[in-house]
Amino acid sequence: TILQFSMHIVDDKLDLLNDEDEKSLIYNSNIKIKRKLNAVATGINNYTQEDNDAARPWSEVGEEVATKIREAQSLYPNTRLCFRSYNGHSFDMRIIFEENRANNISLPANLYSVDSMLCIKAMVTSDSTEIKKGGFKLEELHKVVLGRDLINAHSAEGDVIGLLDLLKKLNTPL
């Protein structure tokens, strides 16, 4: 289940793109889930019952996400848009596609998906003593590569910003 969704639309240099009003193309939302919240799972990202009560369902949020992507595609027709997530092929993208299917939401065509964890694993040798110690968790890589803690870890926006900072540091081409 998705509790939060965050999306920052960036160019191939990982700089934020803007809309016609010069607002950055950032989207953040909590998502209402129907079943009972799991205290352990929600405690990791500080998602409370109050957050859930104030949130909107994926049927609304998913439509807004698809609209925001279409808007970016029309503003930047020569830019390839790509969902870049961390461990996304195992988790995020599967859930997004399943939620979209359940709610009859279609994402725009020519939308790509890249799992940055797989890219980083291919770039960074696991022979590194520091990385072997911490592994490939986003929080640990943030400490090793950037030398600081990942702020708001396990929140959608915190992880998106943390991944963006990590990719900038590693100078990963799109």
Side-chain angles (χ1 to χ4, degrees):
T1 301
I2 304 173
L3 299 175
Q4 300 172 318
F5 185 87
S6 182
M7 177 175 67
H8 292 211
I9 299 178
V10 297
D11 63 17
D12 60 349
K13 294 181 184 108
L14 302 173
D15 294 322
L16 282 173
L17 293 175
N18 297 317
D19 67 13
E20 293 162 335
D21 297 324
E22 292 302 311
K23 293 181 197 160
S24 60
L25 294 172
I26 295 177
Y27 182 88
N28 293 301
S29 183
N30 284 342
I31 298 155
K32 182 179 290 241
I33 61 170
K34 295 173 188 162
R35 62 179 175 234
K36 185 177 178 184
L37 295 177
N38 177 310
V40 174
T42 55
I44 291 172
N45 59 13
N46 299 317
Y47 189 86
T48 65
Q49 184 63 53
E50 292 78 26
D51 293 330
N52 194 59
D53 293 342
R56 295 171 303 128
W58 183 259
S59 58
E60 294 174 25
V61 173
E63 281 294 344
E64 289 177 1
V65 168
T67 299
K68 185 65 93 171
I69 292 168
R70 284 186 192 92
E71 175 187 336
Q73 285 180 324
S74 68
L75 289 170
Y76 297 93
N78 298 321
T79 300
R80 279 186 287 183
L81 293 182
C82 175
F83 272 110
R84 193 174 267 245
S85 55
Y86 198 77
N87 198 25
H89 287 178
S90 295
F91 183 71
D92 305 273
M93 296 314 295
R94 287 181 181 187
I95 294 172
I96 289 169
F97 286 119
E98 187 57 39
E99 290 287 341
N100 282 351
R101 192 167 52 110
N103 289 286
N104 278 335
I105 299 170
S106 60
L107 290 172
N110 298 325
L111 186 61
Y112 301 92
S113 172
V114 173
D115 189 336
S116 296
M117 183 173 73
L118 299 175
C119 298
I120 290 170
K121 279 185 173 182
M123 288 174 57
V124 181
T125 175
S126 58
D127 292 337
S128 163
T129 320
E130 291 138 357
I131 291 176
K132 259 189 173 173
K133 199 176 359 176
F136 282 95
K137 291 182 179 177
L138 186 56
E139 285 176 280
E140 294 304 320
L141 280 172
H142 213 266
K143 284 179 188 173
V144 171
V145 175
L146 297 170
R148 62 180 192 261
D149 288 337
L150 176 58
I151 298 170
N152 294 322
H154 302 290
S155 71
E157 187 172 26
D159 287 354
V160 166
I161 292 169
L163 177 59
L164 192 56
D165 289 345
L166 184 63
L167 294 176
K168 283 180 179 180
K169 178 70 176 181
L170 293 172
N171 197 22
T172 305
L174 287 177

